[in-house]
Amino acid sequence: MSAFQTAIVPAAGLGTRFLPTTKAVPKELLPVVDTPGIELVATEAAEAGATKLVIVTSPGKDAVAEYFRPQPELEATLEERGKTDLLAKVRRAPNLLTVETAVQDKALGLGHAVGCAEGNLTGADEAVAVLLPDDLVLPTGALKKMAAVREKLGGSVLCAFDIPKEQISAYGVFDVRDTGDDDVKQVVGMVEKPKPEDAPSTFAAAGRYLLDRAIFDALKRITPGAGGELQLTDAIALLINEGHPVHVVVHRGGRHDLGNPGGFLKAAVDFALEHPDYGPELGEWLRARLANS
Ligand code: UTP
């Protein structure tokens, strides 16, 4: 039995960094080569043992949930035409796991968005995974390690990257204590975007969380924080202050921030270069393009 069955994917933000496209297209559906970021994250959740995905959407972003519904007419057409590869791709998302939605009427912050999914939980959900769909954590597998840490140490488990000190002020940074395992630290506090000289560590938060169900009670007790939004990190800080065990798994790998055009392009190029159909030609074109720049 996995440490969690339900994964929450908050996708109700305004996506302002991707305007004007996000006037009409949710950023979670923008394709990394040919697959939306949210499918990559849903696949990661399923691989880590989740059987249910709760997508938090906003009114008008129905296309995100629609993407996970079967498309019988399209499937029949592809079948008739013998397009078996495309058929497999079309069926992939609906077959990953059970998808439900929760609606966040107004973008009041990530903490508020996660709280909106409480009604989708059952009595069996003692912990939930939260995956931010605009944060690709590579290689996948961080959640599995996080689940193993919860099984051993209890409480909530977050994911961290070890970032060079000079870049640390772009991130939420953990104040940590050693546990005897280099890849697992106890969290005693968090600081948002500190100056390098004030940073309590070089461990920066990533968009993967394994949260004890107690988070939903904490979310009801926080007040608006940075940017006037209800912040998930404020609810986690509340739990830490109340003695709830919180640890981070230090993920030794890469990541892509799909939430802004610059980061998204890097991800698309990275994935395309690995793709058997597009990689070789793209690599050649890039080399020639860069030689002429
Ligand atoms: P971001 O801050 O990266 O997304 O939130 P955003 O607010 O949509 O983007 P910008 O800053 O305006 O460009 C991280 C994740 O949390 C979700 C977002 O959809 C994104 O997946 N989120 C954020 C919500 O679901 N609700 C909110 O109120 C805020």
Side-chain angles (χ1 to χ4, degrees):
M1 186 80 163
S2 167
F4 62 95
Q5 291 88 52
T6 301
I8 299 172
V9 175
L14 298 177
T16 54
R17 287 166 295 166
F18 254 115
L19 283 169
T21 300
T22 41
K23 286 196 307 183
V25 182
K27 71 173 173 184
E28 294 78 12
L29 291 182
L30 297 178
V32 180
V33 188
D34 59 3
T35 303
I38 196 160
E39 182 179 328
L40 301 176
V41 165
T43 305
E44 179 186 337
E47 279 171 9
T51 52
K52 182 164 85 181
L53 190 74
V54 182
I55 304 174
V56 184
T57 57
S58 56
K61 275 181 99 174
D62 307 334
V64 179
E66 186 58 32
Y67 179 76
F68 286 90
R69 292 193 191 109
Q71 304 267 326
E73 277 184 33
L74 175 62
E75 289 175 29
T77 307
L78 293 173
E79 209 154 16
E80 268 165 38
R81 295 183 185 173
K83 305 264 185 201
T84 45
D85 287 0
L86 288 179
L87 189 60
K89 282 189 188 183
V90 165
R91 285 182 172 156
R92 215 167 43 196
N95 289 336
L96 277 174
L97 63 194
T98 306
V99 173
E100 294 182 6
T101 54
V103 177
Q104 185 190 30
D105 283 322
K106 237 178 151 195
L108 297 177
L110 177 58
H112 181 258
V114 171
C116 290
E118 188 178 9
N120 296 73
L121 304 189
T122 69
D125 288 303
E126 289 174 15
V128 293
V130 175
L131 297 91
L132 302 193
D134 48 12
D135 197 355
L136 288 188
V137 175
L138 301 165
T140 55
L143 271 172
K144 274 192 195 158
K145 284 189 223 156
M146 291 157 67
V149 171
R150 174 172 154 93
E151 253 151 48
K152 197 166 152 206
L153 301 173
S156 297
V157 186
L158 315 179
C159 180
F161 276 80
D162 197 358
I163 299 282
K165 198 168 177 141
E166 58 281 8
Q167 295 166 19
I168 202 78
S169 28
Y171 299 94
V173 181
F174 296 111
D175 190 358
V176 295
R177 300 288 175 269
D178 285 336
T179 62
D181 177 340
D182 273 355
D183 289 346
V184 180
K185 309 274 174 195
Q186 186 194 351
V187 183
V188 295
M190 262 192 95
V191 188
E192 270 307 315
K193 303 186 168 66
K195 288 187 197 144
E197 60 272 24
D198 299 334
S201 76
T202 53
F203 297 115
R208 299 291 178 272
Y209 307 80
L210 178 54
L211 300 169
D212 188 275
R213 195 169 178 144
I215 195 70
F216 291 97
D217 178 58
L219 282 167
K220 289 177 194 126
R221 292 184 286 128
I222 56 166
T223 51
E229 295 192 335
L230 291 165
Q231 301 287 353
L232 184 59
T233 47
D234 287 345
I236 295 170
L238 194 62
L239 289 180
I240 294 170
N241 289 340
E242 291 169 353
H244 177 96
V246 176
H247 293 84
V248 283
V249 166
V250 182
H251 185 71
R252 316 278 175 188
R255 75 194 294 193
H256 285 299
D257 178 4
L258 301 181
N260 71 83
F264 186 88
L265 282 169
K266 283 185 204 157
V269 171
D270 193 17
F271 276 59
L273 285 172
E274 297 296 322
H275 196 288
D277 295 344
Y278 311 118
E281 197 187 326
L282 177 67
E284 235 171 75
W285 181 84
L286 274 175
R287 274 187 287 274
R289 174 69 181 77
L290 292 173
N292 288 330
S293 63

